[in-house]
Amino acid sequence: MTTEGKKRVCIVGSGNWGSAIAKIVGANAVKYNNIFETRVTMYVYEEIVNSQKLTDIINQLHENVKYLPGHKLPENIVAVPDVVEAAKDADILIFVIPHQFIRTLCATLLGKIKPTAVGVSLIKGFDRGDGTNIELISKIIEKNLRIQCYVLMGANLANEVAEEKFCETTIGCRDKRLAPVLRDLIQTPNFRVVVVEDCEAVEVCGALKNIVACAAGFVDGMGLGDNTKAAVIRLGLMEMVKFVDTFYSGSKLSTFFESCGVADLITTCYGGRNRRVCEQYVKTGKTIRQLEEELLGGQKLQGPATADEVHGMLKAKNLLEKFPLFTAVHRICTEQIRPADLLDQIRNHPEHVFAPKTLYMY
């Protein structure tokens, strides 16, 4: 990214979370107009809502009436239905789309953006890779767009962020010159940013917590109570730590105590869409796909897809028994076992013999 001139910003995505972050980015672009161009483009997948194009509604009413109703977007946020047009002049690309679509999007943008641009991924999930390994979304963006990409993850339920309730988030960025720029773009008095250099652990936490949230939803659906739910969350956290320790050696244990770690895990296990859908999966007997369509208004569920991707990697490396909670969630979501079998899968969890070997605290 060039160091001279004002930075142009594009938000690639406009769902619930994308629209919430647009409120912050738009306001900060105006506040710090010595650093950023005030006009911020937002790529919007075009849909017809109440007989009107969604982009027209956003640009006229300054509200995403489908994905973030009731919240005004800053007037300098400009909805653009063509992703190339939205992104072509940007110095900072903020990616916030369902992780299943990232490769297609990168193929569309390749060669159409500034070579000096940088990305920031807010996408919580993995890419399936070659079927036996998973790839981080930030690495997919880097490889396919040939730009640097950093990450933002945290306990950030979109509606609460939009309502300006106090919360924290974590940016993983190793570039010491860029870090304060990203912080200024994102931080507000009610949205506190902590920047760490441990990019891989930040991103992995953001993906894995959705698997644990599915397990928490199954527990809620069965009415097993807060003690059981707390045990499931704790065991899930241990598997998150073990996963990072196994596949991303050299990460910091302290990262799990940032917003991207334990805070995001707790929030998602009590208030996120994965928990809610999985609770209804138990209560209604409907499929995950049916409930996704009925309850999420076009949004995509990340937990079951991430569990499937993780399962493929663990199976290929003969590590399924080391991650019984992740494995159980996958088997429940694919209807191989019942939600009622969850506890049988984790009663003899091996975490008590696990101690991180490669993680260090600070």
Side-chain angles (χ1 to χ4, degrees):
M1 186 176 71
T2 58
T3 57
E4 297 180 0
K6 295 181 181 181
K7 307 296 187 284
R8 294 183 175 92
V9 181
C10 172
I11 301 167
V12 183
S14 58
N16 189 232
W17 183 211
S19 298
I21 209 70
K23 284 191 65 177
I24 291 173
V25 169
N28 280 345
V30 173
K31 180 179 179 180
Y32 298 107
N33 59 19
N34 60 319
I35 303 174
F36 307 105
E37 292 286 353
T38 56
R39 182 179 186 269
V40 175
T41 55
M42 179 171 71
Y43 164 60
V44 176
Y45 178 79
E46 193 69 278
E47 301 178 66
I48 302 300
V49 179
N50 299 326
S51 302
Q52 284 186 278
K53 292 180 178 179
L54 183 56
T55 51
D56 288 343
I57 295 173
I58 292 172
N59 289 331
Q60 292 167 11
L61 301 181
H62 307 292
E63 179 183 349
N64 190 333
V65 296
K66 179 167 184 178
Y67 295 113
L68 195 68
H71 293 281
K72 288 294 182 181
L73 300 176
E75 293 187 9
N76 59 312
I77 296 291
V78 179
V80 180
D82 183 331
V83 68
V84 173
E85 181 65 26
K88 65 180 182 180
D89 295 323
D91 299 293
I92 300 173
L93 295 160
I94 299 174
F95 294 93
V96 54
I97 62 170
H99 76 281
Q100 297 94 325
F101 305 134
I102 193 62
R103 285 184 179 271
T104 300
L105 182 133
C106 286
T108 302
L109 288 179
L110 180 61
K112 308 291 179 57
I113 61 173
K114 287 184 174 182
T116 54
V118 298
V120 182
S121 174
L122 279 61
I123 302 169
K124 296 179 177 180
F126 295 122
D127 183 88
R128 188 177 296 277
D130 61 6
T132 60
N133 289 287
I134 57 176
E135 294 189 59
L136 301 182
I137 298 300
S138 65
K139 301 306 179 187
I140 295 295
I141 293 170
E142 288 185 346
K143 182 168 65 176
N144 287 276
L145 287 183
R146 301 166 192 166
I147 62 173
Q148 289 293 306
C149 186
Y150 304 103
V151 295
L152 181 151
M153 305 284 158
N156 307 142
L157 295 180
N159 285 358
E160 294 186 12
V161 172
E163 291 164 5
E164 300 182 17
K165 295 179 178 178
F166 178 79
C167 65
E168 299 176 310
T169 199
T170 310
I171 292 178
C173 178
R174 294 190 181 93
D175 186 330
K176 294 185 183 300
R177 292 183 301 173
L178 180 62
V181 176
L182 297 181
R183 185 191 60 228
D184 287 344
L185 184 61
I186 301 294
Q187 183 162 263
T188 75
N190 287 319
F191 195 67
R192 179 176 178 266
V193 173
V194 175
V195 182
V196 301
E197 296 184 1
D198 196 7
C199 300
E200 287 83 2
V202 170
E203 185 168 1
V204 171
C205 283
L208 294 181
K209 56 93 182 181
N210 284 326
I211 304 177
V212 186
C214 290
F218 298 142
V219 169
D220 286 342
M222 292 183 286
L224 297 179
D226 287 338
N227 290 341
T228 302
K229 187 171 179 178
V232 165
I233 293 172
R234 188 190 74 82
L235 292 171
L237 178 60
M238 291 301 298
E239 291 196 11
M240 290 169 61
V241 172
K242 183 186 293 186
F243 190 92
V244 171
D245 189 48
T246 302
F247 297 110
Y248 300 94
S249 60
S251 294
K252 297 180 181 179
L253 190 59
S254 59
T255 301
F256 291 90
F257 296 94
E258 297 292 350
S259 184
C260 62
V262 65
D264 195 11
L265 178 63
I266 293 169
T267 296
T268 307
C269 287
Y270 279 89
R273 70 182 70 156
N274 291 281
R275 187 218 63 81
R276 180 161 57 100
V277 169
C278 287
E279 178 184 25
Q280 292 305 310
Y281 175 76
V282 177
K283 290 183 174 180
T284 66
K286 296 179 180 179
T287 66
I288 295 288
R289 184 175 295 276
Q290 284 177 306
L291 291 166
E292 183 182 60
E293 294 174 355
E294 291 178 12
L295 299 178
L296 300 186
Q299 297 287 313
K300 294 295 182 181
L301 200 64
Q302 301 295 324
T306 302
D308 183 55
E309 290 151 1
V310 167
H311 182 268
M313 182 174 180
L314 294 176
K315 183 177 181 180
K317 298 184 183 303
N318 199 30
L319 290 172
L320 291 177
E321 292 185 358
K322 302 292 186 181
F323 296 87
L325 182 67
F326 291 172
T327 300
V329 168
H330 168 73
R331 295 180 69 195
I332 293 169
C333 289
T334 53
E335 300 182 1
Q336 298 177 53
I337 61 174
R338 304 169 303 154
D341 297 324
L342 174 66
L343 295 187
D344 288 337
Q345 303 298 306
I346 62 174
R347 286 186 197 279
N348 297 312
H349 199 285
E351 60 85 19
H352 65 281
V353 298
F354 166 69
K357 296 180 178 61
T358 62
L359 299 180
Y360 56 101
M361 190 63 190
Y362 298 107

